[in-house]
Amino acid sequence: MVTLAVAGAGLRGAAYARRASATGSARVVAVAEADPLRRARFAAEHGIPPERAFADWRELAAAGRLADGIVIATLDTEHAEPAIRFADLGYHILLEKPMATTEADCVRIVEAVERGGAMLAVCHVLRYTPYTRAIRDIIRIGRIGDPISVQHLEPVGWWHQAHSFVRGNWRREAESGPMLLTKSCHDIDWIMYVLGEVPARVSSFGRRSHFRPDNQPAGASDRCVTCTVEPDCPYSATRLYLSCVGDPERERWPLGAVTDDTTTEGVLAALRDGPYGRCVYACDNDVVDHQVVNMEFPSGATACFTMTAFTPLAQRQTRVFGSRGCVEGDGHRLTVHDFVTGKVDVIDVAGPDAAPTGHKDADDALADAFVAALATGDPTLLSSDARQSLAGHRVVWAAEEARRSGTVVDIPYGGIP
């Protein structure tokens, strides 16, 4: 049986570990987690003895190689050092995205895994869904002819933006990275994957337009629990987090990031004192709340990606326009228009019971693929390797350069995504 260690037992690390254990194909044998309550809960769930439950990933690394593979789900700024260290120890690695927050660190990771012969799967989970396989196959077999242009939307969700990117851990570039990297490197990678090309040049526009002090309503308080205009605010922390109480899934996320005390009193106490109770117009956030990225590919195809906070939380929406037809998708179903016959086919890929955002199924599929790759020693079971992930990250950094400079930026790296 495959054995796994986990560095970072938060939401993501715990989800991958839980899936690997639930399938019976892997056993989680060690954990490194700074939060003592989270560490103890994770160790109890997986039957990990105290001597293999560490407070820091460095302690886990110092113990040598304790497992076949490791899930690294530490903070974004703490991906590079553990990835390099565990690769040098011979671990195969499932690494939460982004790979790292700088190009130099990503290159160091690639060098380490290649030096040690390790498999690296960056968590580009969107690659692993039946929906993605279906739209990719439609393009690859030529059903819509040559792909000419793509429109792709990531609807972040108004409350999700407030939770993660205004009040939460990903609100400041210096502490995590730009929004395009921490949230939307998924989407840049996905566009490259379904088209089978790396862009040749990019432009980008976007900024923090709404979540700013100058947009705070008159009479608003800096805390939602004391705010007189809170009932009319779409970003009310009080409304959002109290509505999670009693719902096990929503108590896990987003409420789990706010407090471990999921009583009404516990939630209100966290909102009075903690970061998640702040007015969205009085935070220290600096990441963009909307952005477009325009890409031109070597084939001549173009793609426009839009990320925006100002939507319901929903699955990505995509249109691929080809020379013989087009395909539109919403994460659940694909609609294919044939320009020759005029026929319209609707393909229900995800099924009627798929979750609204589809993330869990994608997470599960990635965890299954990683464990299978370790069990068989077959890296082709993973849909991307270290260099393919690096290529996508380089597109993100080029787009950020373009956004900041107001220029079109050439991307000198080729390759197949």
Side-chain angles (χ1 to χ4, degrees):
M1 179 181 291
V2 169
T3 55
L4 297 176
V6 173
L11 183 70
R12 313 301 304 147
Y16 291 125
R18 188 171 294 116
R19 173 63 180 186
S21 296
T23 61
S25 56
R27 185 164 57 91
V28 181
V29 299
V31 63
E33 167 55 49
D35 183 281
L37 179 60
R38 190 179 292 163
R39 182 171 68 248
R41 186 166 55 217
F42 185 94
E45 179 179 351
H46 295 282
I48 298 171
E51 65 271 17
R52 290 198 171 190
F54 303 93
D56 186 89
W57 68 263
R58 295 167 186 83
E59 297 176 6
L60 172 57
R65 187 180 181 189
L66 302 180
D68 301 311
I70 186 164
V71 177
I72 299 178
T74 50
L75 295 176
D76 294 350
T77 53
E78 298 174 6
H79 283 182
E81 296 307 324
I84 293 165
R85 182 74 177 277
F86 288 113
D88 285 340
L89 287 170
Y91 282 88
H92 301 293
I93 299 169
L94 181 63
L95 178 61
E96 183 56 280
K97 58 85 183 168
M99 290 177 72
T101 55
T102 68
E103 182 173 359
D105 278 344
C106 285
V107 171
R108 292 171 61 218
I109 292 171
V110 172
E111 292 171 345
V113 298
E114 291 182 347
R115 180 172 63 242
M119 285 184 271
L120 173 71
V122 177
C123 294
H124 297 304
V125 298
L126 298 181
R127 286 179 174 239
Y128 290 85
T129 64
Y131 173 85
T132 297
R133 287 196 298 273
I135 194 169
R136 191 167 184 259
D137 288 346
I138 286 169
I139 295 169
R140 289 293 174 90
I141 66 175
R143 189 168 174 185
I144 62 169
D146 296 326
I148 305 297
S149 60
V150 177
Q151 294 177 347
H152 182 71
L153 168 68
E154 180 178 12
V156 176
W158 84 98
W159 65 261
H160 184 200
Q161 181 82 20
H163 172 74
S164 294
F165 306 102
V166 178
R167 297 174 173 124
N169 290 337
W170 295 273
R171 69 189 183 278
R172 293 184 58 80
E173 289 191 19
E175 296 175 11
S176 57
M179 183 88 174
L180 192 64
L181 180 68
T182 60
K183 184 72 175 82
S184 300
C185 68
H186 269 324
D187 300 273
I188 300 301
D189 174 81
W190 189 87
I191 293 168
M192 291 165 46
Y193 183 57
V194 298
L195 289 183
E197 293 188 89
V198 177
R201 57 182 187 157
V202 297
S203 66
S204 183
F205 306 92
R207 66 174 188 163
R208 178 176 59 112
S209 289
H210 185 69
F211 298 103
R212 304 156 50 103
D214 51 321
N215 286 323
Q216 187 174 42
S221 166
D222 286 352
R223 289 273 167 182
C224 290
V225 292
T226 59
C227 183
T228 58
V229 302
E230 173 271 329
D232 191 48
C233 179
Y235 308 103
S236 164
T238 310
R239 181 188 311 116
L240 168 61
Y241 298 117
L242 286 180
S243 71
C244 298
V245 174
D247 182 332
E249 286 301 314
R250 297 183 70 213
E251 285 183 350
R252 179 175 296 171
W253 186 84
L255 187 56
V258 178
T259 179
D260 289 319
D261 184 348
T262 58
T263 65
T264 297
E265 294 76 15
V267 172
L268 290 174
L271 298 185
R272 281 193 296 270
D273 301 324
Y276 290 93
R278 292 178 295 175
C279 174
V280 293
Y281 307 106
C283 292
D284 58 344
N285 57 303
D286 62 11
V287 299
V288 302
D289 52 31
H290 65 113
Q291 186 169 357
V292 295
V293 179
N294 301 304
M295 292 166 272
E296 183 180 59
F297 293 83
S299 67
T302 58
C304 178
F305 165 64
T306 299
M307 180 283 300
T308 179
F310 308 103
T311 67
L313 178 62
Q315 292 205 24
R316 277 83 168 175
Q317 298 163 28
T318 307
R319 295 177 176 178
V320 183
F321 304 100
S323 58
R324 295 180 60 88
C326 64
V327 56
E328 303 179 31
D330 63 1
H332 289 286
R333 59 189 57 84
L334 298 168
T335 303
V336 184
H337 299 256
D338 189 309
F339 296 164
V340 177
T341 66
K343 185 179 180 182
V344 177
D345 286 337
V346 178
I347 306 167
D348 194 347
V349 179
D353 298 324
T357 59
H359 215 304
K360 183 181 183 303
D361 289 342
D363 291 340
D364 289 349
L366 172 58
D368 293 348
F370 181 65
V371 171
L374 268 59
T376 61
D378 183 2
T380 66
L381 296 175
L382 302 170
S383 75
S384 61
D385 59 23
R387 290 199 173 270
Q388 289 168 325
S389 293
L390 174 60
H393 283 57
R394 280 174 163 159
V395 174
V396 169
W397 284 310
E400 278 298 288
E401 179 186 346
R403 182 178 71 86
R404 295 174 190 279
S405 63
T407 60
V408 176
V409 174
D410 291 328
I411 302 172
Y413 311 100
I416 302 299

